[in-house]
Amino acid sequence: MAQSRPWLTLADASSVLGIPEFQVLDLAVSGRLHSRLKHDHREVCAADVIEFDVEMHTSRAVHADKPTWEPWTAAEDPGAFAERADHDTPNDEGAEQQ
């Protein structure tokens, strides 16, 4: 995808990357995307946006078959669940304690 402009507005970069503008701004402020201020508006380097987009798609393709989250079960670490059960019980002295 050839870019006709070397700089993109946050809104343009947001539509290219498919993420909200505040996340594009976070990327620019953190230094991940080169940026500049022009007329009190931040612009980001189009080449950096395209490179970041390619990296995001490559990363998604590599990890597409892997789940992003798995529940932690007692079978994996029964000791941790036993310890948690001790802390989740009411106070042994009763409710009279203040």
Side-chain angles (χ1 to χ4, degrees):
M1 174 175 148
Q3 265 309 326
S4 59
R5 299 179 295 164
W7 296 95
L8 298 173
T9 65
L10 293 178
D12 292 338
S14 172
S15 68
V16 169
L17 296 174
I19 59 175
E21 285 184 41
F22 75 89
Q23 288 180 339
V24 175
L25 181 60
D26 285 345
L27 291 168
V29 170
S30 70
R32 179 60 185 90
L33 301 175
H34 288 90
S35 66
R36 70 178 184 180
L37 289 175
K38 183 175 182 183
H39 305 297
D40 295 330
H41 296 288
R42 187 172 296 269
E43 295 180 332
V44 293
C45 179
D48 286 352
V49 170
I50 293 168
E51 180 183 332
F52 187 79
D53 188 42
V54 169
E55 287 176 16
M56 282 183 16
H57 289 335
T58 303
S59 176
R60 287 182 192 145
V62 168
H63 300 292
D65 61 337
K66 298 176 184 169
T68 56
W69 178 82
E70 289 182 16
W72 186 41
T73 64
E76 294 173 17
D77 191 1
F81 275 80
E83 182 179 316
R84 186 188 319 173
D86 291 340
H87 295 295
D88 290 344
T89 56
N91 191 340
D92 291 336
E93 280 93 38
E96 295 177 11
Q97 196 180 45
Q98 292 184 7

